[in-house]
Amino acid sequence: SQQGEEDPQALSIQEGENATMNCSYKTSINNLQWYRQNSGRGLVHLILIRSNEREKHSGRLRVTLDTSKKSSSLLITASRAADTASYFCATAAEHDYKLSFGAGTTVTVRA
Amino acid sequence: AAGVIQSPRHLIKEKRETATLKCYPIPRHDTVYWYQQGPGQDPQFLISFYEKMQSDKGSIPDRFSAQQFSDYHSELNMSSLELGDSALYFCASSIGQGKGYTFGSGTRLTVV
């Protein structure tokens, strides 16, 4: 991947449980974004967190950002079968506008 | 609301053929990005345009070229196709650079 690692690579949980995935990156960033992708489909933007923010919420999603450790986490609470997808973090570096994606975490939510 | 439109959705080409992928950004979006996602891979940045000028270039092969037209739509031209070019090609658009992106549904290119 262009910018770092996501962990775990795959995650299998029961419906109703929480899912947490982590992302690390290498360069200084302007913002970090999380995307969801259903198998072979388009990338859906979930949430954007700026480098001066530490935590952000959107519905059942909670994102944290630690710029000192160059890492971010995405928490999905009360997971549903429809949350089954691959989740990618992507960073926009300072003075750069393109996104660099991590390798993704595949989440399977069992009914 | 209008989204980013990519065409075609699916494309099958033979080796050494040429393919053209089209991207129609959200109205008033002036920036377009192209990404390539191989099977089981993360999306890789290819090239971007801002106000019809190339603004950044990533790991795009010399066999590929792209441009952004006066109506802000963009086309990715791929020549001398190779089996390894089989991938999902995404286009994203934004208003200005460094702002929120919206991705299209992608074009799945299969080279046989």
Side-chain angles (χ1 to χ4, degrees), chain B residues 13-19 63 78-83 85 111-112:
Chain B
K13 290 284 186 179
E14 295 188 355
K15 281 194 304 185
R16 293 180 287 278
E17 283 193 319
T18 297
R63 299 177 289 108
M78 309 158 69
S79 63
S80 302
L81 287 169
E82 301 173 356
L83 295 178
D85 296 329
V111 181
V112 296

Side-chain angles (χ1 to χ4, degrees), chain A residues 1-2 31 33 35 37 40-43 45 88 92 96-99 101-103, chain B residues 33 35 37 41-45 56 88 90 97-101 103-105 108:
Chain A
S1 110
Q2 287 184 20
N31 65 72
Q33 304 176 35
Y35 287 83
Q37 184 179 38
R41 307 291 292 275
L43 292 158
H45 181 262
F88 293 92
D96 196 358
Y97 305 112
K98 63 181 180 289
L99 291 178
F101 284 83
Chain B
Y33 309 82
Y35 289 82
Q37 185 180 27
Q41 305 293 313
D42 54 290
Q44 301 285 314
F45 172 73
D56 202 350
L88 262 173
F90 290 107
Q97 300 183 87
K99 307 291 176 59
Y101 310 85
F103 279 83
S105 298
R108 181 174 292 283

Side-chain angles (χ1 to χ4, degrees), chain B residues 26-66:
Chain B
I26 291 173
R28 293 186 297 282
H29 281 200
D30 52 16
T31 307
V32 167
Y33 309 82
W34 285 96
Y35 289 82
Q36 177 192 56
Q37 185 180 27
Q41 305 293 313
D42 54 290
Q44 301 285 314
F45 172 73
L46 291 177
I47 196 166
S48 62
F49 294 88
Y50 169 63
E51 281 293 342
K52 293 158 279 184
M53 300 286 289
Q54 182 182 306
S55 55
D56 202 350
K57 197 171 182 179
S59 48
I60 183 169
D62 291 341
R63 299 177 289 108
F64 294 6
S65 65

Side-chain angles (χ1 to χ4, degrees), chain A residues 5-35:
Chain A
E5 299 293 321
E6 283 192 51
D7 115 83
Q9 288 187 331
L11 184 59
S12 180
I13 55 173
Q14 201 71 33
E15 208 166 23
E17 292 182 335
N18 296 342
T20 300
M21 59 211 87
N22 304 294
C23 163
S24 63
Y25 56 91
K26 296 173 182 172
T27 61
S28 295
I29 62 169
N30 176 281
N31 65 72
L32 183 145
Q33 304 176 35
W34 284 90
Y35 287 83

